[in-house]
Amino acid sequence: MRNPITRLDRYIMRKFIGTYIFAILLIISISIVFDFNENMAKFANNHAPWRAIILDYYANFVPYFANLFSPLFVFIAVIFFTSKLAGNSEIIAMLASGTSFKRLLRPYMLSAALIAGINYYLGAYIIPKGNIVRQNFETLYKNKKKNTSANNVMLQVGPGLVAYIMQYDNNTKRGYNFGLYKFDQKKLSSQMTANVIQYDTISDSRYHWHATNYKIRTLKGLRETIEEGREIDTLIMMEPMDLVYSKGQQEQFTSPELLRYISKQQERGSTNVVQYEVEYHKRIATSFASFILTIIGASLSARKRKGGMGLSLGIGLALSFTYILLQTVSATFATQASFPAMLAAWVPNILFVIIAYFCYRQAPN
């Protein structure tokens, strides 16, 4: 049986993956030096232990930013090693031997598929767990204030069931002046109020709350019954994460958790899920970008030029930063201007697909 991976494929894939890893190690190493230099005083003032700095912060800092800027690393790697191949006339030799440029792109696409698959898995399942540790470290030792309270929270916790909390403190998982209202055919059928409501963090199951100084009013036609008491345990389909939003919270969810959270919030009629939708679609779009930027990079740098790789590298870096800028701008539009989250995440890819097609048509054959 004929081996689908030829020696040429292995040669290009080895160059691609090797240069990609080298670019990550180089740029992330520089980032760590600058980040440590910037935050050294904060670490010292807040008495951050070295173990926490290394294992909690930088051990999660590296994969987060490596994955975030992976399209940039892919672009730099492709342009760097392809320009060297073109400068050594190796691309010319490959094309002269009868290999078409389309066939030449196969090992590039295989490498991009490998990188995209690893990036998606890390971004969707592994890195979110590390983000929890990293962001908790930043709250403790970098003085990054985390939102821990909410006022006048109202949300739907079930069909015809609305909960209201005047004030909620996430540090103690406690809410004050609580109300739970049940509606039957748009008419109030029962109402529960409590001075204090406390989330049970040690319960084996979710949604357990403990109410203090409660009152339950039940309305049946013109009749009303009232039940009062000191304390009562109750199940309410809400959790602390539903009540308080802190910056970057969506980065702490794995992709399946994001889908469940978005679905739950949409069922409640909440409109504050755009940033979660953008995060979910961005993880897929960013992984797919590896293919687009690989085609652009290979097409730009496959032609031998007198000036070497300087021009190709300059164009490549400009396009990379343009892509990252478009990602940021489109995400901002989604959260601030009611722009569809899925479209916002894919706008950079849609535009760069057009650029990739144009570059591919201009590539040497």
Side-chain angles (χ1 to χ4, degrees):
M1 184 177 178
R2 187 179 178 185
N3 188 0
I5 306 296
T6 64
R7 181 179 296 179
L8 174 63
D9 294 332
R10 290 194 296 271
Y11 176 71
I12 292 177
M13 291 175 69
R14 189 166 59 247
K15 291 278 188 181
F16 190 159
I17 302 297
T19 309
Y20 173 77
I21 294 172
F22 175 77
I24 287 179
L25 293 176
L26 179 64
I27 297 175
I28 292 297
S29 299
I30 296 171
S31 300
I32 290 174
V33 171
F34 278 99
D35 184 83
F36 182 76
N37 185 61
E38 181 182 348
N39 294 298
M40 184 168 53
K42 293 180 181 178
F43 293 158
N45 292 336
N46 292 298
H47 308 289
W50 280 104
R51 179 182 177 84
I53 293 173
I54 296 171
L55 298 181
D56 293 348
Y57 184 62
Y58 284 111
N60 295 301
F61 172 95
V62 171
Y64 172 75
F65 282 97
N67 198 66
L68 182 65
F69 294 109
S70 180
L72 174 62
F73 299 140
V74 167
F75 216 177
I76 291 174
V78 170
I79 287 176
F80 187 80
F81 89 85
T82 306
S83 295
K84 289 195 70 175
L85 292 180
N88 295 333
S89 300
E90 292 180 71
I91 298 291
I92 295 174
M94 294 174 191
L95 297 175
S97 67
T99 303
S100 66
F101 186 72
K102 181 180 179 181
R103 170 62 182 83
L104 189 64
L105 282 178
R106 190 171 78 172
Y108 284 87
M109 292 294 100
L110 291 173
S111 302
L114 177 63
I115 292 171
I118 293 174
N119 285 340
Y120 177 75
Y121 180 76
L122 289 174
Y125 298 97
I126 306 300
I127 293 176
K129 297 176 182 177
N131 285 340
I132 298 174
V133 178
R134 179 178 60 83
Q135 290 178 7
N136 288 337
F137 175 92
E138 290 177 345
T139 302
L140 287 172
Y141 302 114
K142 287 183 67 178
N143 294 327
K144 284 198 171 183
K145 292 185 178 180
K146 194 174 182 179
N147 186 25
T148 59
S149 63
N151 296 318
N152 297 319
V153 179
M154 180 176 287
L155 68 159
Q156 184 175 326
V157 295
L161 204 58
V162 177
Y164 170 79
I165 300 177
M166 180 178 288
Q167 187 178 12
Y168 176 76
D169 183 359
N170 199 45
N171 290 325
T172 59
K173 303 292 188 291
R174 182 177 297 170
Y176 303 91
N177 294 334
F178 170 77
L180 184 65
Y181 307 92
K182 184 176 182 180
F183 294 89
D184 186 10
Q185 296 181 350
K186 299 183 179 181
K187 292 183 179 180
L188 184 66
S189 59
S190 68
Q191 170 188 329
M192 172 186 174
T193 58
N195 290 346
V196 178
I197 187 167
Q198 174 77 50
Y199 187 68
D200 189 352
T201 56
I202 61 173
S203 175
D204 294 333
S205 56
R206 299 158 63 188
Y207 310 124
H208 279 258
W209 294 85
H210 183 79
T212 305
N213 294 331
Y214 70 93
K215 180 189 289 186
I216 301 175
R217 295 174 58 218
T218 304
L219 304 172
K220 291 184 179 179
L222 298 176
R223 298 183 62 185
E224 176 183 4
T225 57
I226 298 177
E227 177 189 345
E228 294 181 279
R230 174 64 181 168
E231 295 179 338
I232 189 173
D233 290 323
T234 182
L235 282 174
I236 305 172
M237 300 294 287
M238 65 179 185
E239 298 177 276
M241 71 173 65
D242 301 327
L243 305 174
V244 177
Y245 171 76
S246 57
K247 186 178 180 181
Q249 182 175 301
Q250 68 274 14
E251 296 175 349
Q252 299 179 3
F253 290 82
T254 64
S255 288
E257 288 172 344
L258 273 175
L259 274 180
R260 287 195 295 268
Y261 182 82
I262 292 168
S263 177
K264 182 174 70 174
Q265 293 299 95
Q266 287 176 338
E267 287 175 1
R268 292 173 170 173
S270 174
T271 58
N272 190 29
V273 293
V274 178
Q275 60 268 33
Y276 296 91
E277 292 177 312
V278 170
E279 177 67 23
Y280 176 78
H281 293 295
K282 188 175 75 172
R283 292 175 183 178
I284 303 172
T286 301
S287 301
F288 188 78
S290 297
F291 298 99
I292 301 170
L293 297 178
T294 295
I295 294 173
I296 296 174
S299 301
L300 284 174
S301 52
R303 195 182 301 277
K304 186 173 182 178
R305 293 182 174 88
K306 288 185 178 180
M309 72 176 71
L311 180 62
S312 299
L313 189 60
I315 296 173
L317 286 173
L319 287 172
S320 296
F321 286 115
T322 302
Y323 179 83
I324 295 170
L325 179 64
L326 278 173
Q327 273 190 325
T328 306
V329 171
S330 59
T332 303
F333 266 107
T335 54
Q336 301 295 331
S338 300
F339 200 65
M342 183 175 181
L343 184 59
W346 283 90
V347 159
N349 283 0
I350 293 170
L351 294 177
F352 271 70
V353 161
I354 299 171
I355 297 173
Y357 178 76
F358 176 78
C359 292
Y360 174 76
R361 297 294 297 176
Q362 300 298 316
N365 287 285

